[in-house]
C-alpha cells in the first residue's frame, strides 16, 4: 500500500471510530472494538438460539458450576449492536444463579451499555431472549438428568 492510500485508510478508520463513539458511547464503542465472550461452547449446560424480527440470530451458551454460571459465550450473525448486546449478556450472566439470570433483561442490558439508538434497542431484547432460552434449556436438561 502506498503512503497516500495508507493515510486515506487510516483517516477513514479514524472517522468511523469517532462516529461509532459519538453515536453509541464509550462502553459500547469499547465492546464493539473488542467483543468479549464470543464463540460457541462444547457441551454447554444450556443453549438458547433466537431469531429476531430483523432476521438476525443470537445464540447464547451457558455452563454452570455449583449452581452459578461459570462460563457464558455468544454468537450472532447480526449487526454491530447485536455483538455488543451478546457480549454484555454473556458478561452479566457470569457468576449468576438461575434466579439472578432472570434479572438480565433487555432493559438491564441497555442500562449497562448506556443505551442504543432507537432502531437498535431490539438487539438488546434479542440477546436477553437468547439468554432466557439458554436458561430454560439448562433447567430442562437438569430436570431430565436431575443433576442441576
Ligand atoms: Fe438485528 Fe441488531 S440484531 S439489527
Amino acid at each position: 500500500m502506498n503512503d497516500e492510500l495508507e493515510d486515506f485508510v487510516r483517516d477513514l478508520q479514524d472517522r468511523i471510530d469517532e462516529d461509532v463513539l459519538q453515536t453509541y458511547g464509550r462502553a459500547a464503542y469499547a465492546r464493539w472494538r473488542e467483543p468479549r465472550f464470543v464463540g460457541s461452547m462444547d457441551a454447554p449446560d444450556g443453549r438458547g438460539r433466537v431469531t429476531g424480527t430483523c432476521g438476525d440470530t443470537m445464540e447464547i451458551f451457558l455452563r454452570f458450576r455449583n449452581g452459578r454460571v461459570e462460563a457464558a459465550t455468544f454468537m450472532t450473525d447480526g449487526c454491530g449492536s447485536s455483538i455488543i448486546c451478546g457480549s454484555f449478556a454473556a458478561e452479566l450472566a457470569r457468576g449468576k444463579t438461575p434466579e439472578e439470570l432472570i434479572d438480565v433483561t433487555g432493559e438491564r442490558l441497555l442500562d449497562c451499555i448506556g443505551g442504543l439508538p432507537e432502531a437498535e434497542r431490539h438487539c438488546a431484547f434479542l440477546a436477553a431472549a437468547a439468554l432466557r432460552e439458554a436458561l430454560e434449556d439448562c433447567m430442562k436438561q437438569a430436570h431430565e438428568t436431575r443433576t442441576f
Side-chain angles (χ1 to χ4, degrees):
M1 215 179 332
N2 66 37
D3 289 351
E4 217 169 276
L5 184 56
E6 272 184 36
D7 288 348
F8 172 77
V9 169
R10 194 174 309 117
D11 184 50
L12 185 62
Q13 186 60 57
D14 287 349
R15 278 192 271 161
I16 291 169
D17 283 359
E18 188 56 33
D19 196 37
V20 172
L21 185 58
Q22 291 304 318
T23 305
Y24 295 89
R26 193 155 296 284
Y29 171 78
R31 202 51 69 99
W32 173 72
R33 289 290 303 220
E34 261 181 77
R36 301 175 65 199
F37 315 114
V38 182
S40 65
M41 187 185 286
D42 286 338
D45 293 318
R47 173 182 161 184
R49 188 173 200 271
V50 178
T51 299
T53 53
C54 60
D56 297 330
T57 298
M58 177 75 69
E59 198 164 9
I60 293 196
F61 305 87
L62 296 175
R63 177 171 299 123
F64 280 81
R65 187 184 180 107
N66 297 328
R68 291 187 178 271
V69 176
E70 176 185 49
T73 61
F74 80 98
M75 291 175 60
T76 183
D77 61 2
C79 64
S81 288
S82 72
I83 294 170
I84 294 165
C85 293
S87 183
F88 271 97
E91 180 173 324
L92 287 184
R94 293 161 75 94
K96 291 206 168 30
T97 64
E99 293 77 19
E100 291 167 344
L101 275 181
I102 291 167
D103 294 335
V104 183
T105 62
E107 288 295 345
R108 175 105 167 77
L109 289 173
L110 287 167
D111 284 348
C112 288
I113 294 164
L116 285 172
E118 190 60 36
E120 293 163 43
R121 284 172 56 84
H122 71 274
C123 310
F125 292 91
L126 180 62
L131 181 58
R132 178 65 63 95
E133 193 166 293
L135 174 61
E136 287 172 4
D137 187 42
C138 286
M139 303 314 274
K140 195 172 137 223
Q141 287 192 44
H143 182 72
E144 287 167 2
T145 59
R146 298 179 183 276
T147 56
F148 197 60

